Amino acid sequence: MEYLLILVSAIFVNNIVLSQFLGICPFLGVSKKVDTALGMGAAVAFVMTLATIVTFLVQTYILNPMGLQYLQTLAFILVIASLVQMVEIILKKVSPSLYQALGIFLPLITTNCAVLGVAILVIQKDFSLLESVVYAFSTAIGFALALTVFAGIREQLSLVNIPKGMSGMAIVLVTAGLLSLAFMGFSGVDGGLKILFGLD
């Protein structure tokens, strides 16, 4: 039941983009078309889950025993950057079709602060390895959901006459704010689930 709470909380209640404001750059930049947003969402899900596993192991078996916790951010950035490069090389050799599908998104993930944010959050929340994996994957689903919904709205906005003063990035930011307010409607769902299943 704990895993269900982590899942619901990460996707809806504490959405990484709309509640915690991490990963805003790809959210605004790669959300012009739904198919592009889905591709980015899939790439983020893959890399975020893998990066969280590796960074968790680095923190637990290298940084903590050696008393190097102050190097966490630097170590995690290096791990994520090298992991993305390694995944890109492996995909290019093993599955060229998957590489073609994710190829343009993989370099963008290296600079996506949501990946680093999740890696640090699982350490701060003191999750186990399995809880960390569930949290990372759920957060990636939440990111993909927000990105896809936002891309759908932006596709619809391109078909509408928007006043000149609101066109361009202005309407995009207003729409993102309204979407964030819509997701605030989910606040309290995790508390309700805790009460329902007697976990409070």
Side-chain angles (χ1 to χ4, degrees), residues 1 12-13 26-27 33-34 38 66 71 73 87 115 124 133 138 145 149 164 189-190 197 200:
M1 210 40 64
F12 300 109
V13 182
F27 179 69
K33 292 186 177 178
V34 173
L38 287 169
M66 297 175 82
L71 290 175
T73 305
V87 164
V115 179
Q124 288 177 348
V133 171
S138 305
L145 175 70
V149 169
K164 198 174 181 182
V189 170
D190 56 341
F197 295 108
D200 203 16

Side-chain angles (χ1 to χ4, degrees), residues 138-153:
S138 305
T139 303
I141 291 171
F143 178 83
L145 175 70
L147 197 65
T148 308
V149 169
F150 192 53
I153 294 169

